[in-house]
Amino acid sequence: MAFSGAQVLLFPFPTAGHIIPLLDLANHLINHHLKLTILVTPQNLPLLEPIRAIHPSDSIQTLCLSFPELPAGSSFAARVRATSELYNPIVDWFRTHPSPPVAIISDFFLGWTDKLAFRLGVRRIAFWPSGAFTCLVISHTWSNVEEILSTTNENSLITFTNIPNTPEYPRWKVCTLSSQYKKGDADWEFLRGGYFENMKSWGVVFNSCREIEGVFIDRVKKEMGHDRVWAVGPLLPLDNNMVGPYYFQRGGLSVMPRDEVMTWLDEKADDSVVYVSFGSRAMLTRQQADALARALECSGVNFVWCLRIQEEGHVAGNVDVVTKEYENRVANRGLIIKGWAPQVAILSHRTVSVFLTHCGWNSVLEGISSNVLILTWPMGADQFISAELLVNQLKVGIRACEGGCQVVPDSVELAHILSESISGAHPQKERMSKLHHSVLEAVQKGGSSSQDLDAFVKQIGQPQTETS
């Protein structure tokens, strides 16, 4: 295939949960004949191997740059600010490129790239690997962070009157990051300013769709004052290619051979398995892992439990909850995967009907894409916001645990929820089925996400004077 489309620079925030959805977007953009350069750090280069393997070499290039070393214990805000050290190297790369990009698509944590794009005379598109509802809640929180943090009561309710349906949260659920804000601190002011830059960007792309978040997408357009807001997700394909070669390796190779996992699932009855995973970063405490292990054992359900085993090079603290004795006791109905698992393939299997998840947005979309009942157990970041969307806005999820590092569920109650999720008749299942089918239609040709993707690519390819 010959590529004659515009050149675009993609700049993800350097963590797997942000890189993977941007690579999913890259896959679609290449199929729409854009040429891409992806900025990546050396340690994250392996994440690009699956997508580079399926596309011609002239369609996707890499710009490999390293961030400066930070002292141990540096704040998240310091990590975000450190990414701006790449400002001058990116400018130098642009200046020497024979055919430089016409646009920069960068993660929402990288709001500073709006100024970079202005200097380079190109468009900057803010990419939200999460949804429009999350964008609105987070942006409102940071706009009013001093007022919100003026009360010391973490259970005080924050009402978002400017967001459709007026969602309401206790402060501790929406301030998992902003609660660390220090007025006047250079790192935290830089992080906060980045959110304001996002709302001034030339355009915004969401890994979401109107069928999930139509009313919230319209609100973002109103806040930004223009219609250059595209919902192009779920970027994960919802057809027979969903478990194709790229998606087998997406995010990393499974520690357990995929065929072994599929063989285990093949032996179970349809809609009889609960899949349990808390993503690539969320971490249960020892007490929470104990409660979950007891609940799974007592529930009587078939389950696949994906356990994280490493945290920045160290063995995770709750892996030893799953002893050999425990594995033997649940051997006939429980499969334990200690490390990265082929999540998309598991969720898509005919035997899996329930997903106990931390509500990371990638997992939320994969659950909807697979038409499974979602049990919510948010742990931090934007996961409480996504849980609210699933349980109270869309009404397709069931709350399993309030979440966070302090809340330990009652194992007997959780066992009952797990058992009922498989055997019970829940209205959430029917609503999820309807949502799943509407989302499936959204990504088909002529659907809302397909149309938004086509429109986005068309506008990117036009001269800037025509679309500014």
Side-chain angles (χ1 to χ4, degrees):
M1 180 189 300
F3 285 81
S4 57
Q7 173 83 224
V8 178
L9 175 66
L10 272 58
F11 189 175
F13 188 72
T15 61
H18 289 245
I19 294 172
I20 292 170
L22 194 57
L23 292 180
D24 288 342
L25 175 63
N27 195 41
H28 288 277
L29 296 180
I30 293 170
N31 289 334
H32 278 68
H33 311 300
L34 292 181
K35 289 185 177 181
L36 305 179
T37 296
I38 301 178
L39 194 159
V40 67
T41 57
Q43 60 268 37
N44 287 318
L45 266 174
L47 291 175
L48 272 62
E49 291 177 4
I51 191 171
R52 295 185 71 179
I54 63 171
H55 290 293
S57 59
D58 65 338
S59 67
I60 182 168
Q61 304 296 319
T62 58
L63 174 59
C64 192
L65 298 174
S66 297
F67 296 116
E69 290 287 333
L70 292 174
S74 295
S75 68
F76 180 77
R79 289 179 56 203
V80 171
R81 190 182 181 200
T83 64
S84 67
E85 295 294 321
L86 299 185
Y87 184 103
N88 287 329
I90 294 172
V91 170
D92 292 341
W93 176 79
F94 256 82
R95 299 301 191 209
T96 58
H97 198 288
S99 180
V102 299
I104 298 173
I105 303 174
S106 58
D107 190 271
F108 73 91
F109 277 133
L110 307 174
W112 61 267
T113 56
D114 206 59
K115 291 185 173 67
L116 170 69
F118 180 79
R119 176 178 174 182
L120 293 169
V122 300
R123 311 175 186 98
R124 184 257 171 158
I125 298 93
F127 176 68
W128 285 78
S130 51
F133 184 57
T134 294
C135 169
L136 290 168
V137 172
I138 290 178
S139 297
H140 176 84
T141 300
W142 279 104
S143 295
N144 301 276
V145 66
E146 293 177 61
E147 177 186 348
I148 290 172
L149 296 180
S150 63
T151 173
T152 57
N153 182 2
E154 290 194 347
N155 291 311
S156 60
L157 291 178
I158 303 171
T159 303
F160 295 87
T161 55
N162 65 321
I163 299 177
N165 305 327
T166 319
E168 194 172 61
Y169 295 91
R171 198 189 82 175
W172 69 272
K173 284 190 175 182
V174 292
C175 295
T176 53
L177 179 59
S178 57
S179 63
Q180 304 171 49
Y181 170 72
K182 299 178 179 63
K183 182 177 174 58
D185 179 272
D187 293 335
W188 286 103
E189 295 296 355
F190 183 89
L191 174 65
R192 184 187 187 190
Y195 288 101
F196 302 146
E197 294 294 330
N198 288 329
M199 300 307 287
K200 295 188 295 184
S201 62
W202 178 81
V204 175
V205 169
F206 288 110
N207 185 15
S208 187
C209 65
R210 296 199 61 83
E211 286 66 18
I212 298 174
E213 299 193 289
V215 66
F216 306 114
I217 292 165
D218 288 340
R219 182 64 194 185
V220 172
K221 291 181 178 180
K222 184 176 180 179
E223 298 245 338
M224 296 196 71
H226 58 72
D227 288 334
R228 292 190 299 276
V229 176
W230 300 278
V232 299
L235 291 165
L236 187 73
L238 307 187
D239 53 26
N240 291 332
N241 292 323
M242 188 170 174
V243 289
Y246 168 60
Y247 291 96
F248 289 155
Q249 300 181 45
R250 173 178 173 266
L253 292 174
S254 172
V255 297
M256 183 178 291
R258 176 188 170 277
D259 289 346
E260 185 177 334
V261 178
M262 295 299 105
T263 297
W264 188 91
L265 288 170
D266 288 341
E267 296 172 352
K268 306 303 176 189
D270 287 2
D271 301 323
S272 69
V273 177
V274 177
Y275 176 59
V276 181
S277 176
F278 292 85
S280 61
R281 297 188 67 81
M283 180 73 179
L284 298 179
T285 65
R286 175 60 186 261
Q287 292 77 15
Q288 289 172 327
D290 275 332
L292 176 56
R294 290 194 301 271
L296 287 167
E297 184 174 5
C298 295
S299 68
V301 301
N302 298 319
F303 66 90
V304 177
W305 184 4
C306 178
L307 273 167
R308 284 186 52 224
I309 61 170
Q310 289 190 337
E311 172 67 20
E312 296 179 355
H314 301 287
V315 176
N318 58 36
V319 173
D320 57 355
V321 166
V322 180
T323 62
K324 197 66 179 176
E325 290 76 13
Y326 179 86
E327 291 190 72
N328 289 336
R329 291 199 304 272
V330 300
N332 292 329
R333 57 184 183 80
L335 179 66
I336 313 294
I337 303 176
K338 298 179 180 178
W340 194 264
Q343 179 162 296
V344 172
I346 292 171
L347 288 171
S348 303
H349 197 277
R350 60 175 175 78
T351 63
V352 177
S353 66
V354 178
F355 183 15
L356 175 58
T357 172
H358 67 308
C359 299
W361 191 248
N362 291 334
S363 291
V364 167
L365 291 181
E366 288 166 9
I368 294 173
S369 301
S370 303
N371 195 17
V372 295
L373 177 64
I374 294 180
L375 304 181
T376 67
W377 186 340
M379 294 300 297
D382 61 351
Q383 295 152 24
F384 296 102
I385 303 170
S386 297
E388 156 77 15
L389 179 68
L390 291 167
V391 174
N392 295 325
Q393 303 284 336
L394 299 172
K395 301 185 187 303
V396 296
I398 295 174
R399 186 174 287 106
C401 181
E402 282 293 327
C405 61
Q406 302 300 321
V407 181
V408 179
D410 179 274
S411 58
V412 174
E413 182 179 341
L414 182 56
H416 177 73
I417 292 172
L418 291 166
S419 178
E420 281 294 302
S421 69
I422 289 291
S423 60
H426 299 284
Q428 290 89 346
K429 287 185 177 181
E430 183 177 346
R431 285 192 287 267
M432 175 60 86
S433 180
K434 291 179 180 178
L435 178 62
H436 164 76
H437 289 296
S438 65
V439 169
L440 183 66
E441 292 176 355
V443 298
Q444 302 301 318
K445 187 173 180 59
S448 65
S449 293
S450 176
Q451 289 184 28
D452 265 21
L453 183 62
D454 289 344
F456 172 62
V457 172
K458 181 179 180 180
Q459 286 198 264
I460 283 293
Q462 292 174 350
Q464 191 162 351
T465 53
E466 295 182 19
T467 57
S468 298

